[in-house]
Amino acid sequence: MTTQQKPADATSFVSRNPADPSDVLAEFTAPGALATADATDRARAAQPGWLHGGAAARSSALSAIAGAVEAAADELAALAVREVGKPIAEARAEVARTAAIWRYYAQAPYEPTGAVHETAAGPGLLLTRRRPHGVAGLITPWNFPFAIPSWKAAPALAAGNTVVLKPAPEATACALRLTEIAQQILPSGVFTLVPGGPAEGGALLSTADVVSFTGSTAVGATVVRAATARGIPVQAEMGGLNAAIVLPDADIERAAAHIASAIAGYAGQKCTATSRVIAVGAALEPLREALAEAVRALPVGDPADPATVCGPLISAWARDRVGAVHGDVAVLAAGATPDGPGWYAAPTLVEKVPQGHRLLGEEVFGPIAALLPADDLADAVRISNSVPYGLVTSVHTADLGAALHGLDGLDTGMVRVNAPSTGVDFHLPFGGAKASAHGPREQGHAATEFFTSSRTYTLTP
């Protein structure tokens, strides 16, 4: 995910309002690799005190952050609208989820950290115990500027790690505000923000004890290689090319509404967005008509308007990238775009997409999807699996038995039946297969396990 105004090697950045690029939210100079290493050193020095302060102190601090996020909810939602162009309804939902994430992980410090076992022979005890890694380096994208840093930081902190956060430049103002909230509550050095780009991200990879990344597949591969070379734990959540499979017995109108929102909600700028719609057999024609109508009807416009579903793209470059894929495919339906200075792209449904087209092999990250026919459920599963990614698949049908039978063949990390492909349950594991993810899952109990390592103790009299 690139910056809006500067090349990848820039040392200064500008964060602009995607709906009005003349509105500048943040201008900053990247601190550089040495400053990032210093931030990691400070976090490492603070980590023992944070851990040994005890479960009650960590739980209380995370609960307090949840309360502070709730108290600032209107401000934070408005900031997300302004900096990353998130429609206000989604922005409010993200802030509410952010508070819920911190409150959920506030209970984690009280969870068991291990188990006691009998020895194979003779007196004594065998213990297993999970301990924090130290400093957690978090590299986060711009599209969920509060929720993603939170669902990484909260479990890391709950387990006794300290955190250094390197957000995407496009979400710097949001990250700064979240950091201010956390730093008002946490001890010094426990939660540190390092703004910037590749230099700062690389320095964090070179100094952190555990790394969690969310972003593009290309950058994620670099993150994985760097962390693996150092021998530190790493998780990387990356791209998606998600399918919605619609069977003939589905509620077509309901499925069309779900799929249209998953295609173009937040301008398709979600790794869980639907980019391929697979119609099985007789579902094709009714779905074709209903989905085209639903896409045309999606409200596009100012993200501050409560009625807006599809707002602007994050940058002019992102808008032009979406426009570049329209040229050699048949457009079945397209919505309208508002007049004005923002970086908007119309929600679009295309068909008759030739094999090898980038829509069938690359994540575009915009409000566009391809309608594809399938002979039967087995053919639909084959089509769904035919891409390098494996994040999420939605399946729409009235026959749950048939769905469960067919779903066994899907190679995606998440399957959602009669629901949009978008949507995340923060108390359950989140992640994909193939090029969509590397390493352990995020969220839920899986997150606290990732941010700790297991140790075995042998105690003999």
Side-chain angles (χ1 to χ4, degrees):
M1 296 177 181
T2 61
T3 62
Q4 294 175 12
Q5 298 295 322
K6 295 287 185 179
D9 60 351
T11 57
S12 61
F13 299 89
V14 179
S15 177
R16 298 181 182 274
N17 181 344
D20 180 8
S22 66
D23 178 20
V24 175
L25 284 87
E27 297 184 68
F28 63 96
T29 299
L34 289 178
T36 303
D38 287 344
T40 306
D41 288 343
R42 292 193 299 274
R44 186 166 288 110
Q47 192 268 330
W50 172 244
L51 173 63
H52 298 308
R58 297 200 302 277
S59 176
S60 176
L62 269 61
S63 291
I65 293 173
V69 168
E70 287 176 331
D74 290 343
E75 172 204 348
L76 297 178
L79 184 57
V81 170
R82 187 177 165 212
E83 183 169 42
V84 300
K86 178 160 288 193
I88 184 61
E90 288 207 35
R92 289 170 177 156
E94 180 181 347
V95 172
R97 179 167 46 155
T98 298
I101 288 167
W102 286 99
R103 186 159 286 115
Y104 170 79
Y105 285 110
Q107 303 308 307
Y110 292 113
E111 292 291 323
T113 60
V116 179
H117 303 265
E118 294 289 338
T119 61
L125 290 174
L126 300 177
L127 307 179
T128 59
R129 193 180 186 194
R130 302 198 71 87
R131 308 305 293 157
H133 296 293
V135 178
L138 312 180
I139 301 174
T140 59
W142 49 263
N143 57 338
F144 288 87
F146 299 118
I148 292 181
S150 295
W151 80 48
K152 295 178 186 293
L157 293 168
N161 301 277
T162 50
V163 162
V164 178
L165 169 64
K166 207 298 288 181
E170 296 91 337
T172 299
C174 290
L176 283 169
R177 188 66 188 96
L178 181 64
T179 300
E180 289 172 358
I181 289 172
Q183 288 181 341
Q184 289 170 359
I185 295 163
L186 297 170
S188 177
V190 172
F191 191 114
T192 304
L193 173 74
V194 177
E200 290 71 25
L204 189 55
L205 285 169
S206 299
T207 54
D209 301 308
V210 56
V211 171
S212 181
F213 166 87
T214 299
S216 71
T217 301
V219 176
T222 301
V223 168
V224 169
R225 286 193 297 270
T228 302
R230 288 188 59 220
I232 63 171
V234 59
Q235 64 183 183
E237 291 300 333
M238 299 175 280
L241 196 59
N242 311 301
I245 297 174
V246 183
L247 277 68
D249 62 1
D251 182 331
I252 296 296
E253 295 295 329
R254 183 167 178 252
H258 282 167
I259 294 168
S261 69
I263 292 170
Y266 191 19
Q269 297 174 121
K270 304 175 185 179
C271 61
T272 55
T274 295
S275 51
R276 296 174 299 143
V277 183
I278 305 171
V280 177
L284 179 60
E285 287 308 316
L287 180 65
R288 185 177 185 271
E289 180 178 343
L291 186 55
E293 182 178 347
V295 166
R296 293 189 194 100
L298 286 170
V300 183
D302 183 355
D305 184 341
T308 294
V309 171
C310 181
L313 277 296
I314 190 63
S315 66
W317 175 84
R319 178 200 58 199
D320 295 344
R321 175 187 57 191
V322 173
V325 304
H326 288 184
D328 53 353
V329 292
V331 175
L332 174 59
T337 55
D339 294 329
W343 296 312
Y344 291 93
T348 305
L349 181 65
V350 302
E351 60 181 349
K352 300 177 182 177
V353 181
Q355 289 297 318
H357 193 279
R358 61 183 300 188
L359 279 174
L360 305 184
E362 300 176 23
E363 182 183 45
V364 175
F365 221 62
I368 182 170
L371 178 62
L372 308 169
D375 296 332
D376 51 28
L377 181 55
D379 190 35
V381 169
R382 178 192 62 77
I383 295 170
S384 177
N385 291 345
S386 66
V387 299
Y389 301 97
L391 184 55
V392 58
T393 304
S394 68
V395 180
H396 305 263
T397 179
D399 188 344
L400 186 57
L404 290 175
H405 176 73
L407 301 185
D408 287 342
L410 288 169
D411 55 8
T412 54
M414 297 176 289
V415 178
R416 294 171 59 84
V417 178
N418 294 327
S421 62
T422 52
V424 174
D425 298 299
F426 61 79
H427 57 295
L428 293 177
F430 173 85
K434 301 191 292 189
S436 289
H438 175 92
R441 295 289 191 250
E442 292 195 278
Q443 305 195 67
H445 288 292
T448 50
E449 289 184 1
F450 170 70
F451 286 110
T452 58
S453 62
S454 179
R455 299 179 185 176
T456 299
Y457 299 79
T458 301
L459 280 67
T460 57

